[in-house]
Amino acid sequence: MGSVQIVTTILAAAITAVAVWLAVRAVLKMVAVIRLGQPAPDRFSDKVARARTMLVETAGHTRMLKWGVVGAAHWFVMVGFIVLSLLVLEAYFEVVTPTGGLPLIGHWTIFGLATEIITVLGLVGILVLMAIRLRNRPTRLGGRSRFTGSTMWQGYFVEWIVLLVLIFGLLIRGFKVATDHFEYPVWATPVSHAVGAVLPDWSDGASVAALIKIAISMTWLIVISLNVTMGVAWHRFLAFPNIFFKREPAKPAGSGLGALRPMTSQGKPLDFEEADPEKDQFGVAHVEQFSWKGLLDFSTCTECGRCQSQCPAWNTGKPLSPKLLVLSLRDHAYAKAPYLLAGGGKDLTGEEKATQAQLAHLDVLALAEADKPLIGTAEEGGVIDPDVLWSCTTCGACVEQCPVDIEHVDHIVDMRRYQVLIESSFPSEAGVMLRNLENKGNPWGAPQNTREDWTKGLDFEVPRVGEVDDFEYLFWVGCAGAFEDRAKKTTRAVATLLNEAGVKFAILGEGETCSGDPARRIGNEFVFQMLAQQNVETLNEAFEGRDKAKRKIVATCPHCFNTLGNEYGQLGGEFEVVHHTQLLAHLVATGKLTPVQPVDGGVTYHDPCYLGRHNRIFAAPREVLGDAIAGDLTEMPRNSERSFCCGAGGARMWMEEKIGKRINVDRVEEAMATGAKTVAVGCPFCSTMLNDGVNGKGAGEQVEVIDVASVLLRSVKPEQQQGGKETAPVAG
Ligand code: SF4
Ligand code: SF4
């Protein structure tokens, strides 16, 4: 070993020792913080499916590749990080001797070839990612950048480290080539040979370059260890467990979509008949009341901003960005952690758990952080502003896009639950809706005995459950379908089409009550459970004696569809629920309904969030429209998985939209830009919002917003065309 190698070896060992010590300390700190969360026993089920999904999502980059070039570039950088870690290891042999290499595989041509290819592709990948980050930097694009609010220096730092590590990897090889100590043939490592051709014949070159490469890598490790909230770096490790522990591992995408999680206390679902707010946790009031998976979610955020770029609230000037919400919770959790780890925290009655002695030596910043209310305005020092919390439509665009499977909607609703159930703090205008649900069983407060009014004037009898036993489908009409003028037309269209196709169906009539979706999404789990239990009982009675496969329900409202199909199982109600567009598509495909007159003038389709993203039903409504209209469907730029919300979900239908541009107006402008005369929808809420938007733009005479079923009815029974424009909605 020469004198240069003695120095390089000592320096490499020293910086590595420091970096590893700091990294171990950082990992222990992170684990301690995550363990502060509440239990989540359901996250340990089905480990095989979890492992499979984790491998598919990471190795396959299933989310990222939907982002085209950036996804591909990120894949190469990820593979580069994993495989080229071996070359960092090899550098430790090279600081000892410039001709050194990894034992065994370090001399295989296949290893030389593979690492050469990955180095080159990694270089291309990181340069692309750097260019994309620069092109999208907030100072250039302002609020339109997905990086707005991200910690930009961290992104630049990580990218430069990757670039330099790759470059020094090539330099090490180049010096070996220049000194004639490189074992791989030119055909397997042409770039290394080209680099070597321009480097001097310096015998210590490889050792010095290896030391610099180790120093760069260890600098990265030191910096991220000193910044445990640096998700842009830590996600390289945390993404794996975060995906492994996702809510529903068998779901290929958007595992945090569809059903909401039940309200839990100590990891167990809460039963309101026995729950006690002094003993049980009602929603989330403090950051440590999220489950450990929630804290892992916050730690894993890469700050990529894909969620933010798709969020309807953020895109219309509201203060909510799912990314910034997650970052606020993350920073708060880590800043409060010293207080919690010292034994601090409030019990369920609001009393401090720690003794004065326990808190005596705590940093004042940690104590100040502990005093912050989780939900509160800037003046109150709140972590999350109420306007942020209540701007969410629960559309799921954030969950859908997040490459590391963060479950934003669950976290938002958990915080809403505490605000509604314990603090009674929510936008006051929604109080009318909640009162109506409790007293009248529907958000409009309409008399229950008018639930069947929509049947009046039909030229056939609509059978009720109890009057007939041999029905195949129970037609779940929903509150909008029963009481809201425009939605009633959809209900009538669906009933007419089912009757035309000879489908045996029956309704519950006055036996139906609200599915509970708006109560659950606003956070009132108590009212949700009250309504849901009543419905589950009624439905179980209606289907008594039938297997699950024969407990078929067709619903026109995607919110009811989602709640009945995905959430009633949590309360003992197992049903086969289809959306009416699915059933209509089937009836057309099997020849039971025959469109005869194509609807012309151009048609575009707006995907309802709770049908599309939350339940992945994109094809059925398009199939129905494809059969019923003249020409092809005109798609809006934001469609299917990336459809833009109408603004009504998450109980936003019953709240005023006072900040920024109205979401429905944004969507209507997009729909109208297609030039289509008909905007087809598959949801009564979307219908209301988009009709409002069209009328607000004074375009009510030129553009019509109607349900897919009404489009089909016009094509199947043109003589029954529903004339005239539909009336303006009444909400609230
Ligand atoms: S669910 Fe929709 S509105 Fe809510 S934060 Fe996510 S993207 Fe934004
Ligand atoms: S998409 Fe996921 S990882 Fe990216 S910023 Fe949003 S929450 Fe973080």
Side-chain angles (χ1 to χ4, degrees):
M1 187 189 280
S3 56
V4 170
Q5 281 68 38
I6 291 173
V7 173
T8 52
T9 304
I10 291 172
L11 289 177
I15 191 169
T16 303
V18 172
V20 169
W21 176 69
L22 288 173
V24 169
R25 217 181 56 153
V27 170
L28 291 177
K29 180 175 178 184
M30 215 176 271
V31 170
V33 173
I34 291 166
R35 283 169 59 100
L36 286 169
Q38 299 303 304
D42 51 324
R43 305 289 179 162
F44 293 91
S45 63
D46 209 354
K47 295 193 183 64
V48 175
R50 289 183 182 281
R52 194 185 316 118
T53 304
M54 181 187 74
L55 286 174
V56 169
E57 282 196 26
T58 51
H61 256 44
T62 45
R63 301 291 177 78
M64 291 288 288
L65 286 175
K66 290 181 186 162
W67 286 69
V69 175
V70 64
H74 190 275
W75 188 83
F76 287 122
V77 172
M78 179 199 73
V79 172
F81 176 74
I82 295 169
V83 177
L84 300 184
S85 295
L86 288 173
L87 293 189
V88 175
L89 189 60
E90 188 168 58
Y92 286 93
F93 292 89
E94 289 156 343
V95 290
V96 177
T97 165
T99 57
L102 275 182
L104 297 176
I105 58 170
H107 304 283
W108 293 352
T109 299
I110 189 76
F111 179 68
L113 172 67
T115 46
E116 182 91 347
I117 292 172
I118 293 168
T119 297
V120 173
L121 293 176
L123 270 173
V124 174
I126 197 66
L127 288 171
V128 169
L129 292 183
M130 289 171 97
I132 289 171
R133 191 179 294 272
L134 281 172
R135 205 186 55 197
N136 289 303
R137 65 190 183 278
T139 46
R140 185 165 169 262
L141 298 176
R144 285 183 298 125
S145 166
R146 66 184 166 93
F147 293 120
T148 299
S150 300
T151 322
M152 292 303 281
W153 74 262
Q154 295 182 346
Y156 294 134
F157 171 77
V158 168
E159 286 166 352
W160 272 100
I161 290 282
V162 174
L163 181 66
L164 289 173
V165 165
L166 291 170
I167 288 173
F168 274 88
L170 280 175
L171 286 176
I172 296 169
R173 288 183 159 195
F175 278 119
K176 284 184 172 175
V177 170
T179 53
D180 211 15
H181 286 113
F182 198 51
E183 296 186 26
Y184 306 122
V186 178
W187 68 264
T189 52
V191 180
S192 298
H193 277 88
V195 172
V198 296
L199 289 177
D201 177 7
W202 180 25
S203 59
D204 295 323
S207 291
V208 173
L211 172 65
I212 297 174
K213 178 170 171 163
I214 289 171
I216 293 168
S217 304
M218 292 306 115
T219 301
W220 173 77
L221 196 54
I222 289 169
V223 170
I224 73 165
S225 299
L226 294 174
N227 291 277
V228 283
T229 56
M230 194 168 167
V232 68
W234 282 105
H235 83 273
R236 287 180 174 185
F237 309 105
L238 296 177
F240 296 95
N242 209 50
I243 295 171
F244 182 87
F245 290 116
K246 70 196 280 191
R247 175 137 66 87
E248 288 182 56
K251 267 194 180 178
S255 100
L257 296 171
L260 273 177
R261 291 183 67 245
M263 222 166 98
T264 55
S265 178
Q266 289 297 313
K268 296 196 191 95
L270 214 57
D271 178 350
F272 276 93
E273 296 202 349
E274 295 162 7
D276 176 354
E278 297 208 342
K279 293 197 192 119
D280 296 306
Q281 181 184 315
F282 277 40
V284 166
H286 307 287
V287 74
E288 65 275 17
Q289 290 182 335
F290 286 108
S291 73
W292 61 261
K293 175 60 171 66
L295 296 178
L296 179 60
D297 268 4
F298 309 150
S299 308
T300 308
C301 176
T302 72
E303 306 195 17
C304 70
R306 289 184 176 80
C307 54
Q308 178 174 288
S309 72
Q310 306 296 308
C311 175
W314 180 259
N315 278 298
T316 53
K318 319 281 189 282
L320 165 65
S321 147
K323 175 184 76 181
L324 299 182
L325 177 124
V326 166
L327 300 190
S328 300
L329 293 170
R330 177 196 69 190
D331 293 347
H332 174 60
Y334 280 84
K336 190 178 176 185
Y339 157 79
L340 295 168
L341 291 168
K346 299 274 193 296
D347 66 18
L348 291 166
T349 61
E351 293 297 315
E352 175 60 58
K353 288 192 270 189
T355 60
Q356 286 214 328
Q358 281 177 296
L359 303 180
H361 304 294
L362 269 188
D363 188 301
V364 285
L365 291 177
L367 288 171
E369 195 71 29
D371 269 348
K372 287 186 177 175
L374 189 63
I375 305 298
T377 59
E379 296 73 46
E380 293 161 346
V383 178
I384 303 291
D385 193 279
D387 281 335
V388 168
L389 186 69
W390 297 109
S391 290
C392 179
T393 67
T394 69
C395 72
C398 47
V399 180
E400 171 74 38
Q401 290 302 328
C402 182
V404 292
D405 275 327
I406 289 172
E407 296 161 357
H408 315 68
V409 175
D410 287 339
H411 305 321
I412 289 171
V413 173
D414 270 338
M415 290 188 283
R416 286 185 174 187
R417 285 169 170 167
Y418 179 81
Q419 292 302 308
V420 172
L421 294 171
I422 303 296
E423 299 284 332
S424 286
S425 172
F426 52 88
S428 54
E429 62 274 16
V432 180
M433 176 269 288
L434 287 173
R435 270 196 303 281
N436 285 337
L437 286 181
E438 280 191 79
N439 300 332
K440 303 274 177 141
N442 70 83
W444 281 272
Q448 184 72 352
N449 62 10
T450 59
R451 265 202 188 264
E452 296 174 28
D453 281 5
W454 64 271
T455 60
K456 287 179 187 164
L458 289 174
D459 55 10
F460 58 93
E461 271 296 306
V462 177
R464 283 156 203 79
V465 172
E467 293 171 4
V468 287
D469 286 332
D470 62 340
F471 62 91
E472 184 183 2
Y473 284 94
L474 188 149
F475 181 15
W476 181 270
V477 175
C479 301
F483 302 121
E484 202 266 337
D485 285 344
R486 195 179 299 110
K488 281 202 268 189
K489 293 191 178 182
T490 304
T491 313
R492 289 163 66 87
V494 172
T496 305
L497 288 164
L498 295 184
N499 183 60
E500 179 77 13
V503 175
K504 288 189 174 164
F505 70 97
I507 60 169
L508 285 172
E510 292 180 27
E512 199 182 292
T513 190
C514 175
S515 68
D517 162 87
R520 193 166 224 206
R521 262 83 202 156
I522 204 172
N524 198 330
E525 189 72 3
F526 174 76
V527 171
F528 165 72
Q529 286 206 12
M530 184 185 84
L531 296 166
Q533 267 160 4
Q534 189 179 331
N535 282 325
V536 166
E537 229 168 83
T538 308
L539 289 166
N540 280 342
E541 207 176 300
F543 288 120
E544 202 172 353
R546 295 195 191 193
D547 302 337
K548 186 185 172 194
K550 294 200 170 154
R551 295 155 75 93
K552 294 193 209 170
I553 298 174
V554 57
T556 53
C557 172
H559 297 265
C560 297
F561 165 73
N562 180 62
T563 305
L564 269 63
N566 296 330
E567 298 186 340
Y568 278 10
Q570 296 167 4
L571 296 162
E574 297 288 349
F575 312 108
E576 280 295 324
V577 189
V578 294
H579 188 246
H580 68 285
T581 55
Q582 292 177 289
L583 182 53
L584 295 179
H586 170 73
L587 295 174
V588 174
T590 51
K592 302 229 169 75
L593 289 174
T594 310
V596 289
Q597 185 171 306
V599 174
D600 57 15
V603 179
T604 190
Y605 173 66
H606 163 81
D607 289 271
C609 301
Y610 275 84
L611 186 65
R613 239 180 336 253
H614 279 281
N615 285 290
R616 321 213 72 73
I617 295 169
F618 303 113
R622 288 177 168 80
E623 282 163 22
V624 175
L625 291 170
D627 287 320
I629 66 173
D632 292 332
L633 186 68
T634 312
E635 291 285 7
M636 285 184 256
R638 295 176 292 191
N639 66 70
S640 307
E641 288 170 354
R642 292 205 188 175
S643 177
F644 195 71
C645 180
C646 72
R652 288 288 325 168
M653 175 94 170
W654 288 276
M655 297 180 212
E656 284 173 26
E657 196 174 336
K658 297 176 200 151
I659 308 172
K661 184 180 182 184
R662 290 183 65 85
I663 294 174
N664 59 340
V665 170
D666 197 283
R667 185 55 164 169
V668 155
E669 284 170 358
E670 187 177 2
M672 287 171 62
T674 64
K677 295 228 172 324
T678 303
V679 180
V681 293
C683 169
F685 292 175
C686 297
S687 173
T688 296
M689 298 304 277
L690 298 191
N691 265 297
D692 266 6
V694 167
N695 291 333
K697 291 211 135 291
E701 292 303 315
Q702 296 87 49
V703 177
E704 190 179 15
V705 181
I706 53 169
D707 193 274
V708 171
S710 298
V711 178
L712 180 63
L713 183 62
R714 286 180 187 184
S715 182
V716 171
K717 299 184 86 172
E719 72 283 0
Q720 278 206 5
Q721 179 142 293
Q722 297 171 39
K725 299 294 298 182
E726 291 163 347
T727 52
V730 183

